[in-house]
Amino acid sequence: MTTFKTMQQVALRDRRVFIRCDLNVPMDAAGQITDDSRIRASLGAIRYALQQGASVMIASHLGRPVEGSLTHKDSLAPVAARLGELLGMHVPLVVDWLHGGFDQRPGGVVLLENCRAHVGEKANSHALAAQMAKHFDVYVNDAFGTAHRAEATTEALARLAGEACAGPLMAAEMAALGRALATPERPMAAIVGGAKVSTKLSVLKALSSWVELLVVGGGMANTFLLAAGHPVGRSLCEPGMVEQAREVVIALRARGARLFMPSDVVTATELSEDAVSCVRSIDRIQGDDMVLDFGPESMRQLILELDRCKTIVWNGPLGVFEMAPFASGTRRLAEAVARSRAFTIAGGGDTVAAINAFGVAKCIDYVSTAGGAFLEFLEGKTLPAVRALEERGLVNFDNLDPNGD
């Protein structure tokens, strides 16, 4: 059971409201935003505070700047411009905001420059948080994507602020994840994609203890194929993780659950948009082949199995979906999840990119913008930023709607 205050339970009128958002958007080499999903996801909290007559301060990190040394590429200036377009109002970017002196009129909004540029942010400095707290009355954490990190603006501020609460995005994320993981309707399936088993082993182990069907995609699938005795050619693979992969399979079998193993795959001898792809059964992968997607028969089988599930959690693509020759598996998966009658939740940067690319976002029950926090929640870990809010809270989270309504 998760308990903490939400924005709707806090008086905001004529108060200075600090909203920690996750506006860490991807940008191209020219500094142009390539996906504004996280900015759009943050609009609910910002608009609500403005409607309530608050003076709004928005904080976020962007990238990984060196503390104490802000460069042009680390600046939130492009985010401020896009946020202003979406809100229909000018959003000034305040650089030296720790010392105050910026406009804080009710109904106004400012974006504070990259919080990770401050010395002490990543170390969760309480001294830094105390300096920040002088400039506002209410702290709102609406950045679930950073909830797994104990930093000054995500954890220390929640404890030092005069009043602290969760924003609608944070509340919706926790409600959806709670429904999917704490009290799931069964059978439950989890789809986890990624390059390396070593980076997601703890997630796979955790999922093996409570799902009925585990689907492993991306480069990780090759390690599981190798563990089952199949050739993988020149595919991305971790031979050193074969025993750990087998342990996951054994844990599933001990509960009567199972790992979905593809029966055919899409291969190529080069990774490019112009690559000549080939569908091969998993026992006929050639020495020069790279496995880059699930094959059509595998997808037919997987879709049939997902149709029997009542809860589906998805994190990570099945193949290199950004390239047309290897996009079919992830596209068919996205479509299957979208039309499923199960409760469906999807999260992580690559997953969100795939969902947007294939136009199915509106058909999935909940799409999380988080990456690391989503994975750590799947592991069953307590997230530091959530714990800080819980320790100051009083709301039964089980009664909240995962759609934020």
Side-chain angles (χ1 to χ4, degrees):
M1 181 182 295
T2 305
T3 59
F4 48 65
K5 281 184 181 179
T6 64
M7 286 183 79
Q8 289 76 11
Q9 296 173 298
V10 178
L12 302 181
R13 183 166 297 281
D14 296 328
R15 301 180 79 186
R16 299 169 302 167
V17 177
F18 180 104
I19 306 177
R20 177 53 160 103
C21 296
D22 181 6
L23 306 178
N24 186 30
V25 294
M27 296 189 187
D28 61 21
Q32 299 296 310
I33 296 170
T34 56
D35 184 352
D36 66 358
S37 297
R38 287 179 173 172
I39 301 176
R40 291 179 179 276
S42 299
L43 294 176
I46 299 166
R47 285 174 173 156
Y48 179 78
L50 290 172
Q51 290 164 2
Q52 295 298 305
S55 168
V56 181
M57 307 163 59
I58 305 166
S60 177
H61 71 287
L62 180 69
R64 294 174 178 154
V66 176
E67 289 188 355
S69 177
L70 186 74
T71 66
H72 178 72
K73 71 179 180 63
D74 301 320
S75 176
L76 283 166
V79 175
R82 182 59 180 145
L83 190 56
E85 292 172 357
L86 294 170
L87 290 173
M89 61 190 297
H90 178 56
V91 178
L93 179 66
V94 182
V95 178
D96 187 22
W97 59 275
L98 280 181
H99 299 96
F102 52 90
D103 191 3
Q104 288 187 290
R105 288 174 295 182
V109 58
V110 297
L111 178 62
L112 309 176
E113 187 58 284
N114 198 330
C115 61
R116 282 193 182 162
H118 296 297
V119 176
E121 167 67 11
K122 293 186 72 174
N124 197 25
S125 166
H126 280 229
L128 175 62
Q131 189 176 1
M132 294 175 175
K134 295 175 183 178
H135 303 296
F136 65 86
D137 307 304
V138 179
Y139 170 83
V140 180
N141 192 331
D142 205 35
F144 179 78
T146 65
H148 60 310
R149 302 192 184 282
E151 298 182 346
T153 59
T154 63
E155 205 270 352
L157 263 187
R159 298 183 183 281
L160 293 176
E163 199 156 10
C165 62
L169 181 59
M170 173 73 83
E173 295 266 6
M174 293 301 296
L177 287 169
R179 176 177 171 183
L181 301 179
T183 56
E185 291 187 73
R186 297 188 179 276
M188 177 180 178
I191 303 130
V192 183
K196 296 181 178 181
V197 171
S198 56
T199 61
K200 292 191 175 180
L201 181 61
S202 55
V203 176
L204 297 175
K205 285 184 174 180
L207 290 172
S208 70
S209 69
W210 73 68
V211 302
E212 282 70 45
L213 178 67
L214 177 62
V215 183
V216 177
M220 293 194 304
N222 301 324
T223 300
F224 278 85
L225 285 171
L226 186 63
H230 299 287
V232 295
R234 294 190 300 114
S235 305
L236 176 62
C237 183
E238 292 180 288
M241 297 299 294
V242 161
E243 281 306 313
Q244 289 87 341
R246 288 175 180 154
E247 288 172 5
V248 171
V249 175
I250 291 169
L252 286 164
R253 287 175 179 167
R255 298 178 41 252
R258 62 184 293 264
L259 173 77
F260 179 86
M261 186 72 69
S263 57
D264 64 343
V265 291
V266 178
T267 69
T269 56
E270 64 174 337
L271 180 59
S272 73
E273 284 280 3
D274 302 320
V276 177
S277 61
C278 179
V279 176
R280 297 191 189 278
S281 64
I282 56 174
D283 57 353
R284 294 189 177 276
I285 297 169
Q286 305 299 302
D288 236 11
D289 285 338
M290 292 184 287
V291 176
L292 299 168
D293 196 11
F294 280 26
E297 178 58 25
S298 297
M299 291 311 302
R300 188 188 71 80
Q301 295 170 356
L302 177 56
I303 290 167
L304 288 175
E305 296 211 27
L306 291 178
D307 282 346
R308 293 191 285 267
C309 295
K310 294 184 178 180
T311 302
I312 300 173
V313 177
W314 177 22
N315 174 263
L318 297 182
V320 187
F321 74 94
E322 301 92 343
M323 296 184 181
F326 319 114
S328 180
T330 303
R331 175 182 55 77
R332 292 185 66 188
L333 172 62
E335 292 168 352
V337 172
R339 66 171 176 265
S340 173
R341 289 174 292 179
F343 176 70
T344 54
I345 180 168
D350 287 342
T351 313
V352 173
I355 286 168
N356 290 337
F358 302 127
V360 299
K362 292 182 179 179
C363 300
I364 295 174
D365 290 310
Y366 195 81
V367 178
S368 171
T369 58
F374 186 89
L375 288 173
E376 291 201 11
F377 197 98
L378 291 184
E379 288 181 51
K381 291 184 177 179
T382 299
L383 307 181
V386 174
R387 182 175 60 242
L389 291 175
E390 286 177 336
E391 291 177 2
R392 300 196 60 179
L394 45 79
V395 178
N396 184 346
F397 206 81
D398 296 340
N399 296 325
L400 293 176
D401 188 324
N403 294 312
D405 297 331

